[in-house]
Amino acid sequence: MSVKAMKSGAVEFLTKPFRDQDLLDAIHQALDRDRAARQHQSELAGLRKRYESLTAREREVMGLVVRGMLNKQIAFDLGTSEVTVKIQRGNVMRKMEAESLAELVRMAAKLELPPGRRG
């Protein structure tokens, strides 16, 4: 029964008789898990909203950037100029509120984005 309860999402399985403190600890643990899950969902929703604010081309550029491609490689792949890619890359960083490439890569991983195309 305890295995079934845990698989169904139970935080703790208390057997009788149990101490009041054990029940309180289980309740606090469940509340902490719920708080963390809600925070994670909220962060992910914010990330998705920022990603949706990108243009189709900016999304394309982001996908290639997080793959580690250089601006001139991206420009060649997309058939555009390197200056244009730099502008679009800057727009991606600003709109996604990423302070570094590493942070942008982590965001893409959280969003589970497919890898960008490679001509």
Side-chain angles (χ1 to χ4, degrees):
M1 188 186 308
S2 64
V3 172
K4 186 176 179 181
M6 295 303 239
K7 283 184 178 181
S8 296
V11 174
E12 186 67 58
F13 190 82
L14 303 174
T15 55
K16 291 182 181 179
F18 56 84
R19 297 177 314 131
D20 290 346
Q21 189 59 47
D22 292 338
L23 178 60
L24 290 173
D25 291 346
I27 292 169
H28 286 291
Q29 184 181 5
L31 290 172
D32 289 343
R33 282 188 188 180
D34 182 64
R35 189 177 304 110
R38 287 177 188 270
Q39 182 178 355
H40 175 73
Q41 289 170 348
S42 175
E43 289 171 6
L44 193 54
L47 262 180
R48 283 191 185 116
K49 187 173 183 175
R50 292 195 306 261
Y51 182 72
E52 289 167 5
S53 76
L54 300 178
T55 65
R57 181 50 68 113
E58 288 167 346
R59 290 180 191 174
E60 217 172 353
V61 168
M62 179 177 168
L64 296 170
V65 166
V66 299
R67 281 189 54 203
M69 293 179 66
L70 301 173
N71 289 343
K72 66 181 178 180
Q73 293 170 316
I74 295 170
F76 179 80
D77 258 19
L78 300 180
T80 188
S81 74
E82 192 174 342
V83 172
T84 300
V85 171
K86 286 180 183 178
I87 292 168
Q88 292 166 336
R89 184 177 180 150
N91 289 342
V92 167
M93 296 296 285
R94 180 180 47 78
K95 288 180 180 181
M96 291 302 294
E97 300 174 16
E99 294 184 19
S100 68
L101 176 57
E103 186 177 6
L104 188 67
V105 170
R106 284 191 296 274
M107 289 175 177
K110 286 180 184 177
L111 290 168
E112 299 177 352
L113 299 179
R117 74 176 186 176
R118 174 84 188 202

